Amino acid sequence: MAILYALVARGSVILAEFTATSTNASTIARQILEKLTGDNDSHVSYSQDRFVFHVKRTDGLTVLCMADDASGRRIPFAFLEEIHQRFVRTYGRSVHSAHAYGMNDEFSRVLNQQMEYYSNDPNADRINRLKGEMSQVRNVMIENIDKVLERGDRLELLVDKTTNMQGNTFRFRKQARRFRNTVWWRNVKLTVALIVLLLVIVYVVLAFVCHGITLPSCLK
């Protein structure tokens, strides 16, 4: 499994490229760039014998690589995503006015390093598999939102439902607090009543005992 050639271009103007083997990949890559018309973003692959040219086009910037057909699609496109981010982060707006091969001296080394990493380092596949799983979760979330919109619900209604839920939660908490206070006061009143009752019983018992003791002396 290997990525053998890569380039970064603005339209048909190649800004940087690197090849790890002697092939006609550069000639075929130029033909592919000429076929990419319009400004729409795209992710496409072109088969050529035992090799596949993978192309990522975003915001007018095209990143292309050639890999053997055993590489599949996940790793080459992860490589293209990495190269696109590094290139934009490094050169910013200058990519829109740079001359042909204007970044080649510096960025060809980056292409070489990343081609080596994504071709040989097993960690690249682990990281990209994780990225792919996260992307699937994101796609599911978007699909769920689309299904809601297809049912005719509006986002404003979803916001209103959320607000109503928050209001209901607030009212529930308020009622629960009021109920706890009511129960607390009821327990306090019951405790006071029991204490008073016990005092009355004690008073009556003491009065009876006292009366029982003094009664014989009164008969004398």
Side-chain angles (χ1 to χ4, degrees):
M1 181 178 65
I3 299 174
L4 305 173
Y5 171 82
L7 66 76
V8 182
R10 183 190 67 247
S12 60
V13 179
I14 298 176
L15 303 177
E17 73 175 336
F18 180 84
T19 181
T21 184
S22 299
T23 65
N24 62 342
S26 180
T27 301
I28 298 175
R30 284 171 171 77
Q31 296 175 356
I32 293 175
L33 292 178
E34 293 175 357
K35 290 181 180 180
L36 297 175
T37 59
D39 297 326
N40 295 331
D41 294 353
S42 62
H43 294 70
V44 295
S45 298
Y46 300 93
S47 177
Q48 176 71 19
D49 295 331
R50 296 181 297 105
F51 303 102
V52 182
F53 289 81
H54 303 280
V55 184
K56 170 183 168 60
R57 190 175 191 180
T58 306
D59 298 331
L61 191 66
T62 301
V63 187
L64 178 151
C65 72
M66 184 189 77
D68 57 43
D69 54 6
S71 300
R73 289 174 58 88
R74 184 178 68 247
I75 290 181
F77 274 104
F79 165 79
L80 296 179
E81 178 67 24
E82 175 74 15
I83 292 301
H84 177 270
Q85 292 181 3
R86 283 174 176 257
F87 197 82
V88 172
R89 186 167 59 245
T90 302
Y91 300 107
R93 295 181 178 274
S94 62
V95 301
H96 300 293
S97 58
H99 298 292
Y101 293 94
M103 292 84 171
N104 192 64
D105 290 342
E106 179 182 10
F107 203 76
S108 61
R109 292 193 293 270
V110 177
L111 293 174
N112 182 20
Q113 293 170 358
Q114 293 304 307
M115 286 166 60
E116 180 71 19
Y117 173 72
Y118 279 88
S119 296
N120 301 314
D121 197 321
N123 290 324
D125 193 30
R126 297 192 188 100
I127 294 173
N128 295 320
R129 186 180 295 112
L130 178 60
K131 289 181 179 178
E133 292 173 355
M134 295 176 63
S135 177
Q136 290 178 4
V137 173
R138 184 171 62 251
N139 292 338
V140 170
M141 293 175 62
I142 295 174
E143 181 181 358
N144 289 338
I145 293 174
D146 291 339
K147 288 181 179 179
V148 170
L149 296 179
E150 288 175 1
R151 287 200 303 267
D153 293 341
R154 295 182 178 276
L155 293 178
E156 292 84 0
L157 295 179
L158 295 178
V159 173
D160 291 339
K161 291 176 183 177
T162 303
T163 304
N164 291 334
M165 290 177 62
Q166 293 175 345
N168 293 334
T169 302
F170 175 77
R171 285 192 294 271
F172 175 78
R173 291 177 178 174
K174 187 176 181 180
Q175 292 174 356
R177 191 181 302 112
R178 185 181 304 167
F179 176 76
R180 286 197 299 268
N181 291 337
T182 302
V183 172
W184 185 81
W185 278 111
R186 186 179 299 170
N187 292 335
V188 170
K189 291 178 182 179
L190 180 61
T191 302
V192 171
L194 289 175
I195 293 173
V196 171
L197 179 61
L198 289 174
L199 291 175
V200 171
I201 293 173
V202 170
Y203 175 78
V204 171
V205 170
L206 290 176
F208 178 78
V209 171
C210 180
H211 183 71
I213 294 174
T214 58
L215 182 59
S217 60
C218 293
L219 293 177
K220 294 179 179 179

